[in-house]
Amino acid sequence: MQRVGAHRRALTVPPGRHRERGPGKKVCKFCVEKIEAINYKDVRLLAQFVAESGKIVPRRLTGVCTPHQRRLSTAIKRARNIALLPFAGRAS
């Protein structure tokens, strides 16, 4: 019989070793390039933040800050409504 909490011990890192982490903190592309207005007609820029399935990629994956993510999602939705971007990805 396994004790409660025994599974946690197996996942810990041995002493003297550090757990490898991914790349550093992501920085907002719009803040770095000092882009204030996100234009819904700029399809090339907006397409970078839309997944192949057609979904808007979340902040935690892109690194975009909250105010810019809100403007970005509004711009993507406007571009979809006038058929500059697809609502859904390719049918498989």
Side-chain angles (χ1 to χ4, degrees), residues 29-82:
K29 177 180 181 173
F30 300 105
C31 290
V32 170
E33 296 178 9
K34 297 183 180 174
I35 300 173
E36 275 303 311
I38 300 173
N39 193 351
Y40 68 92
K41 295 179 227 167
D42 191 356
V43 178
R44 222 178 253 174
L45 176 71
L46 298 178
Q48 296 174 4
F49 299 96
V50 178
E52 286 182 24
S53 61
K55 293 182 177 182
I56 299 173
V57 182
R59 279 186 60 227
R60 61 188 160 79
L61 296 180
T62 59
V64 178
C65 65
T66 306
H68 284 120
Q69 179 71 20
R70 284 194 201 107
R71 292 183 206 147
L72 182 66
S73 62
T74 304
I76 290 171
K77 290 171 187 176
R78 284 180 181 166
R80 283 175 175 168
N81 279 329
I82 61 169

